[in-house]
Amino acid sequence: MEAWFFENQTGNFGIKIRIEKILHHEYSNFQEITVYDTFEFGRMLVLDQAIMFTDKNEFIYHEMLGLVPLFSHKNPERILIIGGGDGGVIRECLKNPFVEHIDLVEIDKRVVDVSKEFFPEIACGLKDRRVEVIADDGIEFLKRVESSGRYDAILIDSTDPVGPAEGLFKRDFYESAERALKDDGIFAAQTESPFFNKNLIRDINKIIKDIYEKPSIYYAMIPVYPSGLWSFTIGSKKYQPQNINESYKGFDFTSLSLKYYSPEIHASSFILPNFVKEICK
Amino acid sequence: MEAWFFENQTGNFGIKIRIEKILHHEYSNFQEITVYDTFEFGRMLVLDQAIMFTDKNEFIYHEMLGLVPLFSHKNPERILIIGGGDGGVIRECLKNPFVEHIDLVEIDKRVVDVSKEFFPEIACGLKDRRVEVIADDGIEFLKRVESSGRYDAILIDSTDPVGPAEGLFKRDFYESAERALKDDGIFAAQTESPFFNKNLIRDINKIIKDIYEKPSIYYAMIPVYPSGLWSFTIGSKKYQPQNINESYKGFDFTSLSLKYYSPEIHASSFILPNFVKEICK
């Protein structure tokens, strides 16, 4: 038997992954949720036909979205994650020694439930006593809490900018996030492929430059994501995101058993190829 | 009309690219050669069903295989390229101010002819007066010239380690290349994806460590190559490949209009994610 999952990453380019089993399939109130078992990558979560992650490479995205902003910040105690109901970014954030509380705002509670059932090694952090899972629309949630300016870091772990995540790529939302941050807060979001989504990255970069003292872009190399080259946009009110904060001097990164991130990767992930720098000029 | 090219990058993973036209197809004495026009990536050269490059992203591979070793070397005057009949690496090597002569040894003369016809912007360097194109087996050629120790740099621009390129990934060949280099010579080869070809990279790395004073691995992010993350293995007899040589102090890299490479990318391309470092331990 040969069964394949196809993802059309653009209208004219796609990938195919051979599947062993369909472990789960449903239409939630917000999207189509599918879990496959694959021969090449282990289990794979797919939302609205787009791959979120596979067991074999989820560490790259989750480490890089979780650790780069947090280790740029002197003492990130209170974190907000929008999206990310699978728990992968939580798992990484909890590796930072200062983290005291994480609010995870996931619009689709079914993503949380399905992840707990099929991806226990990714979802493990969801059960941590420091974590509160809130089933809500991230945009609405931020509007309610923004006057408090209570967060040290806000991380946007969204799907692609179509469907439920569309509003997470707009100026209003970015401004709302900035208001919800403390005076030395830091913001980071996944912002798609520099190869296929130049205009999106250019637009977001302009907004983040307007809002933050220290805006920047960093990247990771993520197999199964369109083009393999993935961007994150980061805005910081005070700290240089290119550097690990001095408060981690002497911190033993090797004790975390990280598979992608290291202090050297932190710094080098901000060094962009010329064609990506060109996008953000 | 919808027509697609499929590449099976592993037995259980592949990509698909929508094609507009088949511009050329033949069986040469060595392999199947196809040129497609694609909607997403422009023209694309395919050898034995494996994508060599597309117009839209060829600059990444060619800049990184050509420029990293050459700008690590004090004065690379005499270069040998094995494979690379398309001319892309030649075009990049000619951007180094010291280059006086390039021997290109391509086993399949038809790759040279087809590239000249369908990829004039890549093949342009093939006509340069400093370039000699030799239709020969790279392994046999090296055996004949190795006693001369005449080259400053040897670059291996091969297809995958099956079919005509298989011998280009073996210890005998690497030793032969070392002998053909001057006392301060430098060697670099494309060595596949760290995500899908761990064992190959590990084996090559051991050999290069045995042979060279300063062995290393560097990477580039190349869409349409398996996993998007690509490795190069470099061995240097004298110069630190991680650094641009001091002889280029004051050299104006911006005048070269490079789209990927820069002095900062040169250095950062040697900073590997933990899971890649683990392969080479």
Side-chain angles (χ1 to χ4, degrees), chain A residues 8 10 12-16 18 39-41 57 195-196 219 221 223 229 258-261 273-275, chain B residues 8 10 12-16 18 39-41 57 195-196 219 221 227 229 258-261 273-275:
Chain A
N8 290 319
T10 74
N12 301 310
F13 178 67
I15 63 172
K16 61 173 193 165
R18 193 173 161 215
F39 287 93
E40 187 73 51
F41 300 105
N57 69 16
F195 211 78
F196 292 127
Y219 74 87
M221 296 162 286
L229 170 59
L258 300 168
K259 289 188 277 182
Y260 192 93
Y261 181 92
N274 288 344
F275 81 97
Chain B
N8 290 320
T10 75
N12 301 310
F13 178 68
I15 63 172
K16 61 173 194 166
R18 192 171 164 217
F39 287 94
E40 187 73 52
F41 300 105
N57 68 17
F195 211 77
F196 291 126
Y219 75 87
M221 296 162 285
S227 85
L229 170 59
L258 300 168
K259 286 187 278 183
Y260 191 93
Y261 181 93
N274 288 343
F275 81 98

Side-chain angles (χ1 to χ4, degrees), chain B residues 98-111:
Chain B
F98 293 104
V99 171
E100 288 177 359
H101 185 85
I102 299 176
D103 285 328
L104 179 96
V105 179
E106 165 63 58
I107 198 167
D108 191 349
K109 180 69 167 53
R110 288 298 301 151
V111 171

Side-chain angles (χ1 to χ4, degrees), chain A residues 94-123:
Chain A
L94 289 172
K95 293 175 180 171
N96 183 293
F98 294 104
V99 170
E100 288 175 1
H101 185 85
I102 300 176
D103 285 328
L104 179 95
V105 179
E106 165 64 58
I107 198 167
D108 190 350
K109 182 67 168 52
R110 289 298 301 150
V111 172
V112 176
D113 299 336
V114 167
S115 299
K116 280 181 174 166
E117 185 175 350
F118 293 100
F119 300 94
E121 290 181 12
I122 297 172

Side-chain angles (χ1 to χ4, degrees), chain B residues 15-227:
Chain B
I15 63 172
K16 61 173 194 166
I17 295 179
R18 192 171 164 217
I19 60 171
E20 196 166 351
K21 271 186 193 158
I22 299 168
L23 297 172
H24 180 80
H25 181 255
E26 72 174 84
Y27 291 93
S28 74
N29 290 334
F30 299 94
Q31 57 204 337
E32 184 182 8
I33 302 174
T34 323
V35 179
Y36 298 94
D37 207 353
T38 77
F39 287 94
E40 187 73 52
F41 300 105
R43 290 184 176 190
M44 174 166 82
L45 178 66
V46 176
L47 300 179
D48 281 346
Q49 319 284 333
I51 297 169
M52 293 298 107
F53 55 76
T54 73
D55 269 343
K56 199 170 161 187
N57 68 17
E58 55 87 14
F59 67 93
I60 304 175
Y61 175 88
H62 292 137
E63 288 185 13
M64 290 302 278
L65 180 55
L67 302 177
V68 172
L70 263 59
F71 282 106
S72 308
H73 190 288
K74 191 181 170 195
N75 55 342
E77 293 167 359
R78 198 172 183 89
I79 316 296
L80 171 62
I81 300 168
I82 308 265
D86 52 79
V89 176
I90 291 178
R91 182 192 64 198
E92 298 307 318
C93 286
L94 290 171
K95 294 176 180 171
N96 182 293
F98 293 104
V99 171
E100 288 177 359
H101 185 85
I102 299 176
D103 285 328
L104 179 96
V105 179
E106 165 63 58
I107 198 167
D108 191 349
K109 180 69 167 53
R110 288 298 301 151
V111 171
V112 176
D113 298 336
V114 167
S115 299
K116 280 180 174 166
E117 185 174 350
F118 293 100
F119 300 93
E121 290 181 13
I122 298 171
C124 55
L126 288 161
K127 290 179 288 187
D128 193 279
R129 59 170 179 79
R130 291 165 287 180
V131 173
E132 187 173 347
V133 178
I134 300 153
D136 199 352
D137 178 320
I139 298 168
E140 297 303 318
F141 177 87
L142 260 185
K143 276 186 198 156
R144 282 203 311 277
V145 304
E146 64 182 38
S147 62
S148 69
R150 68 169 74 154
Y151 293 106
D152 295 296
I154 297 179
L155 311 180
I156 315 303
D157 180 9
S158 69
T159 52
D160 298 328
V162 286
E166 203 176 343
L168 303 181
F169 291 82
K170 301 229 186 286
R171 181 180 284 266
D172 282 358
F173 175 71
Y174 292 126
E175 289 176 345
S176 192
E178 189 274 337
R179 286 191 286 270
L181 284 170
K182 291 184 193 165
D183 290 343
D184 64 345
I186 199 161
F187 169 91
Q190 78 82 2
T191 45
E192 308 280 309
S193 159
F195 211 77
F196 291 126
N197 308 91
K198 281 192 175 64
N199 293 340
L200 180 85
I201 293 174
R202 185 180 288 122
D203 292 347
I204 292 174
N205 202 244
K206 272 184 197 152
I207 300 169
I208 297 298
K209 271 184 181 166
D210 286 347
I211 299 180
Y212 288 93
E213 186 81 10
K214 300 180 195 307
S216 198
I217 288 188
Y218 66 98
Y219 75 87
M221 296 162 285
I222 307 179
V224 313
Y225 276 18
S227 85

Side-chain angles (χ1 to χ4, degrees), chain A residues 13-69:
Chain A
F13 178 67
I15 63 172
K16 61 173 193 165
I17 295 179
R18 193 173 161 215
I19 60 171
E20 198 167 351
K21 272 186 192 155
I22 299 169
L23 298 171
H24 180 80
H25 181 254
E26 70 174 86
Y27 291 93
S28 74
N29 290 334
F30 299 95
Q31 56 203 337
E32 184 182 8
I33 302 175
T34 322
V35 180
Y36 298 95
D37 207 353
T38 77
F39 287 93
E40 187 73 51
F41 300 105
R43 290 184 175 190
M44 174 168 81
L45 178 67
V46 176
L47 301 179
D48 282 346
Q49 319 284 334
I51 297 170
M52 293 297 107
F53 55 77
T54 74
D55 269 342
K56 199 170 160 188
N57 69 16
E58 55 87 12
F59 67 92
I60 305 175
Y61 176 89
H62 292 138
E63 287 185 14
M64 290 301 278
L65 180 54
L67 301 176
V68 172

Side-chain angles (χ1 to χ4, degrees), chain A residues 67 70-71 73 76 92-99 130 248:
Chain A
L67 301 176
L70 262 61
F71 282 104
H73 190 288
E92 298 307 319
C93 286
L94 289 172
K95 293 175 180 171
N96 183 293
F98 294 104
V99 170
R130 290 166 285 181
Y248 303 95

